[in-house]
Every structure is written in C-alpha cells, then in structure tokens.
Amino acid sequence: MRRTRLTGEQAALFPDWRYHAFVTNQTGPVTVVDQEHRHHAVVELAIRDLKEGTGVSHMPSGHFSANGAWLAAAVLAHNLARWTQIIGDPNTSTPINTTATFRSRIVSIPGRLVNRAGQITLRLPTRWPWAHRYVRILTNLRALPQLC
C-alpha cells in the first residue's frame, strides 16, 4: 500500500490522502516492487496510446508482412508525435497526454497555404484555440540546429 497526499485542485476539495494498493507475489523491498509496478503502468499506458492513437488495434490485413509494415509505420508515427511534443513544447504546464489528442489538435490543421507575391504563408483560423501552441511548437522545432 502506498499513501500520497492529494495536490492541486483536488486538495482543496479533498484534503486527505490517496491510497494505492497492489497485490503481487514478488519478493524484495516494498519500494523496489512499488517502483517496478509504477514503471509497468507507464508501459501499459504507452501501449494503450499506441493502439488508440495510431491505429494498431485495427490491423488492415490477415497477412503477417502487411501487418508488420502497418505496425512499423504506426510506431514511427507514435514516436514522431511524442518527440514533436517533447522537443517542440517542453515547458508547457498542460501537456497533451495522448497521440490521438495531439494529432487532432496540432497535426490536423484547419488552415490553408496562401501565396502572396511569392511568399507562402500558412493562414490559421482566427478562433482556432490551439494556434498559439502550434506556432510555439513550430518555432521551437525550426530553431533546432540542422544536422546536414
């Protein structure tokens, strides 16, 4: 059993402790077993995000090689989305926790490219709620040094 104090907005409503219980047959110090349990939960969340966010749960074919190619593309897309958020928006107070949310808010841009006197500009909608975050991510990614 692990006991943690509630923090943030929930602490104002419930100024108590939160209890986390887990049952295991592992031997060893409780702190090590608890750390392994929490690490396993992080891995499970990543697998769930891979299934729901990039379509691994719907393999397109009954052929092994086609599904292998689909899985490789899905893992690549998942990693690109996660790294884009980590590198492009590292100091955010509200991280986007799932790939599906990141894709729907940042990648699927409801904008258009406009050519004005040879200068190509991306026009975002005026009331798009994630425009500032998109511009911040794009600016941070463009500021990275080029390797080639």
Side-chain angles (χ1 to χ4, degrees):
M1 183 74 73
R2 181 168 46 97
R3 181 176 83 160
T4 58
R5 187 174 291 280
L6 289 172
T7 58
E9 295 175 2
Q10 289 183 351
L13 295 174
F14 306 104
D16 292 331
W17 295 91
R18 178 182 297 168
Y19 294 93
H20 301 277
F22 61 94
V23 178
T24 182
N25 61 354
Q26 293 182 347
T27 59
V30 176
T31 55
V32 173
V33 173
D34 180 45
Q35 185 178 14
E36 289 175 0
H37 177 72
R38 284 186 279 152
H39 178 70
H40 182 71
V42 170
V43 170
E44 291 292 332
L45 288 175
I47 292 170
R48 184 189 72 184
D49 187 33
L50 183 63
K51 287 180 180 178
E52 295 174 0
T54 58
V56 171
S57 60
H58 303 290
M59 292 291 185
S61 174
H63 300 287
F64 180 78
S65 54
N67 287 337
W70 181 271
L71 179 64
V75 169
L76 182 63
H78 179 263
N79 288 339
L80 284 174
R82 302 314 297 162
W83 278 107
T84 300
Q85 181 180 350
I86 290 169
I87 294 171
D89 202 9
N91 299 324
T92 184
S93 60
T94 56
I96 300 173
N97 295 325
T98 63
T99 304
T101 305
F102 181 78
R103 190 179 67 233
S104 67
R105 290 184 183 177
I106 304 299
V107 177
S108 301
I109 303 169
R112 60 183 172 194
L113 291 173
V114 178
N115 187 353
R116 300 273 186 207
Q119 181 73 20
I120 297 177
T121 306
L122 176 65
R123 279 221 183 152
L124 300 174
T126 56
R127 294 189 183 123
W128 188 42
W130 300 286
H132 295 293
R133 183 175 234 171
Y134 173 79
V135 170
R136 184 173 59 235
I137 290 172
L138 187 62
T139 303
N140 288 341
L141 291 177
R142 285 181 175 169
L144 291 173
Q146 293 187 9
L147 299 175
C148 311

